[in-house]
Amino acid sequence: MKVLVIGGGAREHALCRSLSLDPDVTALYCAPGNAGIAEVAELHPVDALDGDAVARLATELGAELVVVGPEAPLVAGVADAVRAAGIPCFGPSGEAAQLEGSKAFAKDVMAGANVPTARSYVCTTPAEIDTALDAFGAPYVVKDDGLAAGKGVVVTDDVEAARAHALACDRVVIEEFLDGPEVSLFAITDGTTVLPLQPAQDFKRALDGDEGPNTGGMGAYSPLPWADPKLVDEVMQTVLQPTVDELRRRGTPFSGLLYAGLAITSRGVRVIEFNARFGDPETQVVLARLKTPLAGVLLGSANGTLDAVPALNWRDDAAVTVVIASHNYPDTPRTGDPIEGLADVVAQDAPDAFVLHAGTRKDGNAVLSAGGRVLSVTATGKDLAQARDRAYTAVGRIRLDGSQHRTDIARKAAEEA
């Protein structure tokens, strides 16, 4: 089949890489893509938020499946426009994508589905904000109700910082702090059947030791040797299937990728948040471990035939991703710097390690930085320690002036495995 992927980050590069290795994919397009994606897919310009433009491009290309990567186009209803043009689309409707687009909507759905999550208040006035902050106490968890590219959440012991973030949002969700390690679990669904993927853990803070500001994610690993082997089954029964069933009951069926951000607390599993698309950087490690060809699974979701898709096959290998970010990320990152050493990774580390592009662009033969998170260096190995060594060896070959990366991705899990 001919497949069109919408987006231009490392998540979309991971999707395109997997699709390019699928023998059923006869043509692969990406819009707008980036310098790395151009090596595996044909790039086309498009305004990813313009559903009609995306549908027109898909029609012109003869695409038989459209995969919408980022959250903003999904919330804007791009998948609806593609489906209206008669083309199967992997991704929820604009209405169902409110599961990510509005934290308050997600809390309401979880209440209806009896899904375990943090107690919370939805606040729109300074008085409501003060009442909520006082009710929960430190550490304060303050979430912008809308999309914020992974940077709309503040967790702090400083009540004034919490209040300032809350006041800067039109509508805000303030909730109790959830203790315990965090886990990301993706599931592919067609609105009825739910197919869980392998869990991963990502690293949100900018600096080693989980210090510094929140980011879109600085690295990830999978599998999780410390997690209960029954975790996926438990989350399927208590979180994923009930949420999909509740959305269908409401008349807003969710098809596409349902991402549950979870806290494994002393009182059991709790949902921190839902996303309506593959997470970045967790996708990079999860897809690196998936043996089953991807296109047929995504098409089964788009066509409502996921119940006919065989059980997924996984590699025993572990995978680790380390994000290389530009100077001053996540504040105002510097862009336009040349990236060197990419060919060295291909020559010396492939196929065990590879580089997925996040924020890059071509300038003649040069590849330049074009975003805050620039590259996701991903490696596999027989265990986390080997995958980690390979990832950091490849990171060491890449030269980007002023760049930064965490040195402790998966270190603790590798030492304890």
Side-chain angles (χ1 to χ4, degrees):
M1 72 182 96
K2 297 179 178 180
V3 183
L4 168 62
V5 176
I6 302 301
R11 162 188 44 230
E12 288 75 35
H13 193 175
L15 286 163
C16 285
R17 178 181 180 273
S18 289
L19 290 165
S20 73
L21 298 172
D22 186 332
D24 287 337
V25 175
T26 54
L28 182 58
Y29 311 102
C30 188
N34 62 37
I37 295 173
E39 295 174 11
V40 294
E42 182 180 300
L43 301 192
H44 291 267
V46 79
D47 177 355
L49 295 174
D50 185 338
D52 291 338
V54 171
R56 271 197 308 275
L57 175 62
T59 302
E60 289 165 11
L61 294 172
E64 293 152 291
L65 174 66
V66 175
V67 179
V68 182
E71 60 272 26
L74 290 167
V75 172
V78 167
D80 301 278
V82 172
R83 279 192 277 267
I87 301 168
C89 186
F90 180 80
S93 66
E95 209 173 348
Q98 285 302 309
L99 201 62
E100 177 170 4
S102 168
K103 304 287 190 300
F105 175 78
K107 288 288 187 184
D108 189 57
V109 170
M110 283 188 269
N114 202 26
V115 166
T117 185
R119 293 179 298 122
S120 63
Y121 293 94
V122 180
C123 307
T124 55
T125 69
E128 289 173 346
I129 288 166
D130 288 341
T131 298
L133 292 173
D134 289 344
F136 289 130
Y140 303 98
V141 182
V142 184
K143 299 179 175 182
D144 190 334
D145 180 54
L147 292 180
K151 296 188 280 287
V153 179
V154 166
V155 181
T156 178
D157 289 322
D158 182 343
V159 69
E160 291 307 322
R163 183 179 285 115
H165 182 63
L167 291 170
C169 306
D170 289 335
R171 185 159 80 149
V172 68
V173 174
I174 297 173
E175 62 184 38
E176 67 174 327
F177 177 76
L178 296 174
D179 63 329
E182 295 184 14
V183 173
S184 301
L185 184 61
F186 302 162
I188 292 171
T189 178
D190 58 7
T192 303
T193 301
V194 181
L195 204 59
L197 305 186
Q198 289 288 305
Q201 187 172 55
D202 75 333
F203 295 76
K204 287 281 195 291
R205 299 281 186 169
L207 306 176
D208 283 8
D210 292 327
E211 300 288 332
N214 253 349
T215 72
M218 296 298 291
Y221 69 93
S222 179
L224 311 182
W226 50 267
D228 187 328
K230 299 190 291 292
L231 175 65
V232 173
D233 289 340
E234 181 188 345
V235 175
M236 269 290 290
Q237 291 167 15
T238 63
V239 175
L240 297 170
Q241 191 71 57
T243 300
V244 169
D245 292 345
E246 172 69 9
L247 284 162
R248 189 176 66 253
R249 186 187 68 76
R250 290 173 176 229
T252 54
F254 186 105
S255 74
L257 195 289
L258 178 58
Y259 165 144
L262 308 163
I264 313 301
T265 77
S266 53
R267 292 173 293 125
V269 173
R270 297 288 185 273
V271 175
I272 301 167
E273 64 176 358
F274 283 123
N275 290 336
R277 38 72 196 182
F278 279 102
D280 182 348
E282 300 99 319
T283 302
Q284 289 86 301
V285 291
V286 172
L287 291 186
R289 297 186 58 222
L290 180 65
K291 278 173 81 170
T292 301
L294 185 61
V297 183
L298 302 186
L299 186 64
S301 165
N303 282 340
T305 57
L306 208 55
D307 59 342
V309 171
L312 299 178
N313 285 324
W314 296 93
R315 295 185 177 88
D316 292 332
D317 286 2
V320 172
T321 285
V322 180
V323 170
I324 297 177
S326 52
H327 177 73
N328 207 37
Y329 176 76
D331 293 326
T332 308
R334 191 174 81 205
T335 60
D337 289 310
I339 303 165
E340 298 175 335
L342 295 170
D344 297 338
V345 175
V346 174
Q348 299 182 61
D349 303 306
D352 299 318
F354 50 91
V355 179
L356 298 167
H357 292 228
T360 65
R361 64 180 177 86
K362 287 292 285 283
D363 182 19
N365 289 326
V367 177
L368 307 181
S369 62
R373 293 186 295 172
V374 182
L375 303 168
S376 282
V377 180
T378 304
T380 56
K382 69 179 188 296
D383 54 26
L384 283 175
Q386 187 180 54
R388 196 173 176 277
D389 287 346
R390 287 171 170 173
Y392 278 106
T393 296
V395 166
R397 301 193 201 282
I398 293 169
R399 298 174 296 285
L400 170 62
D401 187 47
S403 69
Q404 54 176 316
H405 65 271
R406 283 184 58 159
T407 65
D408 62 347
I409 303 300
R411 178 194 288 152
K412 186 168 178 239
E415 288 170 351
E416 293 175 357

